[in-house]
């Protein structure tokens, strides 16, 4: 159609171009008939596909609830397992927290235990295994016994026992008592590393594990050497005191009896007895001040002479500085009292011009008759008094000096009545105080 609305004429074909073939009418008719059939087939196929799809949707819709339920069950099971795992994880975390706290408590407890053990420096504390070897050693054990921890660990526990206790298997006995009685306790001598001995109170106890099984022993020692020495010294003093009291009473009884027999009157007897008691008491005072461990001989001599008026002009004394035992101190004191009393009544101290000299020396013992390595020689000498004549009879003082002292001190005593004055010599084994 052209612009005017009219049908344009088809262009004229040139003769030099071949003409297109024309489809016959019957062929066009056949083609027109075939297309609707194809569309019908397509529609039929689409219908079939739709039915198939609907059937598939129906089947799918029918199957979905069962599949969904299965998945939901699986999901529920998984969630339950997850919750259980989370609960278990929480429990494990709580257990871990408790374990950490427990380990902290144990560490703190061990620290406090070690601190307590190491701070107990007055106590030797160590552990022993079932074979009897040392497995632990605190600083108190090192301080008391001398072995370091490195030296003690692995050593047998009986190294601290004396040879006699080791032969008697005392360590094994203590272990047995610890197991059967719950503890083994005793007081005995033990050894230090340097070989010296110390007295200790010992306690052995069993070590057990959490199940109650025996795994070793705990040994605790406390040094009680000073207390032991003090007890021994006290026992010695008590025995010595008993001995001294008996000797003192015997001495008092002897000089009282003899004085009463020989005294011309009761007044004379009273004065004589009183003087001897005072001399004895003064000697006791000197020894008491020295805890009865002995006395200085010079002090014994000086006190005895001063008691009888010796002023250092008419009575002089000189000798080596020496401490003598209590036994010698008492005997010498009583001897000097009797000599001084006799000198005041009859000898050098009975006038205004007489003098008394007391001297003493020490020398080595010439024989091994006694344990003493030294001997004491003491000399009493009077001069300037009235002429001396030997007595016709021996009084109590003379007998006590010549016989009593010789027997008491295991030595020799000699009394010589020289015209110029009395001389008394004493030679005895020296017991140092």
């Amino acid at each position: 159609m052209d612009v005017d609305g009219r049908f344009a004429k088809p262009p004229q074909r040139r003769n030099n171009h071949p003409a297109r073939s024309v489809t016959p009418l019957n062929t066009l008719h056949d083609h027109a008939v075939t297309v609707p059939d194809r569309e019908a087939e397509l529609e039929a196929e689409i219908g079939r596909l739709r039915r198939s799809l609907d059937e598939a949707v129906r089947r799918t819709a029918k199957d979905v609830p069962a599949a969904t339920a299965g998945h939901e069950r699986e999901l529920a099971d998984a969630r339950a397992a997850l919750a259980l795992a989370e609960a278990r994880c929480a429990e494990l975390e709580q257990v871990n927290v408790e374990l950490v706290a427990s380990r902290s408590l144990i560490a703190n407890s061990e620290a406090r235990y070690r601190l307590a053990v190491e701070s107990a420096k007055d106590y030797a504390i160590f552990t022993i295994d079932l074979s009897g070897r040392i497995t632990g050693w605190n600083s108190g054990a090192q301080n008391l016994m001398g072995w370091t921890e490195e030296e003690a660990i692995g050593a047998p526990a009986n190294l601290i026992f004396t040879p006699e206790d080791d032969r008697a298997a005392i360590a094994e006995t203590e272990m047995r008592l610890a197991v059967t009685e719950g503890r083994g306790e005793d007081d005995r001598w033990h050894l230090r590393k340097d070989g010296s001995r110390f007295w200790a109170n010992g306690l052995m106890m069993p070590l057990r594990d959490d199940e109650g099984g025996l795994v070793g022993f705990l040994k605790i020692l406390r040094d009680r050497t000073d207390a032991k020495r003090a007890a021994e010294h006290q026992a010695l003093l008590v025995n010595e005191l008993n001995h001294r009291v008996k000797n003192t009473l015997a001495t008092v009884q002897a000089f009282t009896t003899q004085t009463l027999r020989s005294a011309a009157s009761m007044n004379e007897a009273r004065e004589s007895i009183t003087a001897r008691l005072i001399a004895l008491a003064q000697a006791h005072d000197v020894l008491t001040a020295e805890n009865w461990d002995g006395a200085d001989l010079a002090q014994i001599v000086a006190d005895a002479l001063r008691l009888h008026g010796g002023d250092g002009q008419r009575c002089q004394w000189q000798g080596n500085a020496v401490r003598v035992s209590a036994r010698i101190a008492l005997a010498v004191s009583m001897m000097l009292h009797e000599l001084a009393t006799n000198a005041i009544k009859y000898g050098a101290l009975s006038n205004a011009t007489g003098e008394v000299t007391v001297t003493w020396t020490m020398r080595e013992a010439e024989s091994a008759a006694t344990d003493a390595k030294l001997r004491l020689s003491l000399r009493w000498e009077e001069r300037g008094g009235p002429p001396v004549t030997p007595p016709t009879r021996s009084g109590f003082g003379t007998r006590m000096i010549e016989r009593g002292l010789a027997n008491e001190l295991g030595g020799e005593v000699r009394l010589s009545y020289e015209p110029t004055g009395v001389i008394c010599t004493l030679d005895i084994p020296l017991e140092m105080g």
Side-chain angles (χ1 to χ4, degrees):
M1 183 178 292
D2 60 10
V3 295
D4 293 329
R6 295 185 295 249
F7 289 97
K9 293 180 178 180
Q12 296 291 323
R13 297 183 182 272
R14 293 182 180 180
N15 293 328
N16 56 345
H17 291 286
R20 292 184 178 179
S21 61
V22 179
T23 301
L25 292 176
N26 57 347
T27 302
L28 291 174
H29 176 75
D30 293 338
H31 179 71
V33 174
T34 302
V35 170
D37 293 339
R38 184 60 180 167
E39 289 178 353
E41 292 177 359
L42 288 175
E43 288 179 358
E45 181 65 21
I46 289 172
R48 186 182 62 80
L49 290 174
R50 284 177 177 174
R51 288 191 299 272
S52 298
L53 180 59
D54 292 339
E55 180 65 21
V57 171
R58 185 184 61 79
R59 288 198 303 268
T60 301
K62 182 179 179 181
D63 295 337
V64 163
T68 301
H71 291 315
E72 288 178 352
R73 284 194 300 272
E74 293 177 0
L75 183 59
D77 292 341
R79 286 175 178 172
L82 179 59
L84 182 61
E86 289 177 347
R88 182 58 178 164
C89 182
E91 291 178 0
L92 291 176
E93 288 180 356
Q94 181 63 30
V95 170
N96 184 55
V97 170
E98 293 175 356
L99 287 176
V100 171
S102 178
R103 290 181 61 184
S104 178
L105 290 175
I106 292 173
N108 292 335
S109 177
E110 290 179 350
R112 287 193 298 270
Y113 168 76
R114 178 167 290 276
L115 179 62
V117 169
E118 292 302 324
S119 298
K121 298 186 181 298
D122 293 336
Y123 294 85
I125 303 175
F126 57 96
T127 54
I128 308 168
D129 63 17
L130 296 179
S131 66
R133 295 193 172 273
I134 297 172
T135 57
W137 191 260
N138 80 328
S139 58
Q142 178 174 340
N143 294 337
L144 178 58
M145 292 178 281
W147 287 282
T148 64
E149 184 178 10
E150 292 75 14
E151 293 172 328
I153 298 298
N158 58 4
L159 89 165
I160 69 170
F161 287 88
T162 62
E164 54 270 25
D165 285 347
D166 189 24
R167 288 191 294 270
I170 297 299
E172 290 75 7
T173 301
E174 290 184 354
M175 293 179 187
R176 177 178 55 80
L177 288 175
V179 174
T180 58
E181 305 294 334
R183 57 191 291 150
E185 186 173 6
D186 58 21
D187 295 274
R188 64 181 61 255
W189 292 105
H190 289 282
L191 291 179
R192 293 189 176 93
K193 180 181 178 181
D194 59 9
S196 62
R197 297 191 178 199
F198 65 97
W199 183 263
N201 170 257
L203 175 64
M204 184 172 288
M205 296 179 290
L207 288 177
R208 301 186 182 278
D209 56 21
D210 294 338
E211 288 74 27
L214 183 66
V215 295
F217 300 92
L218 175 69
K219 178 76 172 180
I220 303 175
L221 287 175
R222 186 179 185 186
D223 186 6
R224 305 294 294 170
T225 305
D226 292 342
K228 175 67 173 178
R229 300 293 189 197
E232 291 178 345
H233 184 65
Q234 184 177 15
L236 179 63
L237 288 179
V238 169
N239 292 333
E240 191 172 348
L241 179 61
N242 289 334
H243 179 69
R244 290 191 197 120
V245 169
K246 291 178 180 179
N247 286 346
T248 300
L249 292 176
T251 301
V252 171
Q253 181 183 15
F255 69 62
T256 300
T257 301
Q258 293 297 326
T259 301
L260 292 174
R261 285 179 182 176
S262 60
S265 65
M266 289 301 297
N267 288 336
E268 180 182 345
R270 184 176 63 251
E271 291 176 359
S272 179
I273 291 173
T274 300
R276 284 169 175 155
L277 287 174
I278 292 174
L280 186 62
Q282 183 165 350
H284 276 248
D285 288 342
V286 174
L287 292 170
T288 300
E290 298 289 342
N291 293 322
W292 283 83
D293 288 332
D296 183 69
L297 182 58
Q299 183 178 357
I300 292 293
V301 174
D303 288 347
L305 293 177
R306 290 188 184 119
L307 182 63
H308 295 85
D311 56 5
Q313 296 296 325
R314 300 182 63 187
C315 297
Q316 299 179 356
W317 54 91
Q318 183 179 6
N320 305 103
V322 58
R323 288 181 61 83
V324 296
S325 67
R327 191 165 67 102
I328 292 178
L330 283 173
V332 170
S333 179
M334 295 304 297
M335 181 192 77
L336 293 176
H337 167 73
E338 296 297 332
L339 290 171
T341 299
N342 187 75
I344 291 173
K345 289 182 178 180
Y346 314 109
L349 299 181
S350 64
N351 61 17
T353 58
E355 296 179 353
V356 174
T357 301
V358 180
T359 58
W360 63 90
T361 59
M362 293 183 297
R363 73 176 192 278
E364 292 185 3
E366 297 177 357
S367 64
T370 64
D371 294 335
K373 297 181 180 180
L374 297 175
R375 294 187 71 86
L376 173 67
S377 296
L378 185 143
R379 180 183 177 90
W380 168 284
E381 184 175 358
E382 299 179 26
R383 56 184 180 276
V388 176
T389 58
T392 57
R393 64 183 182 86
S394 296
F396 169 74
T398 300
R399 291 194 301 272
M400 187 194 74
I401 292 173
E402 289 182 328
R403 300 174 188 174
L405 285 179
N407 293 332
E408 175 71 16
L409 302 179
E412 297 180 0
V413 180
R414 294 181 181 179
L415 269 173
S416 176
Y417 296 93
E418 302 295 331
T420 56
V422 175
I423 298 175
C424 178
T425 59
L426 174 67
D427 185 77
I428 57 173
L430 181 59
E431 297 175 0
M432 307 294 286

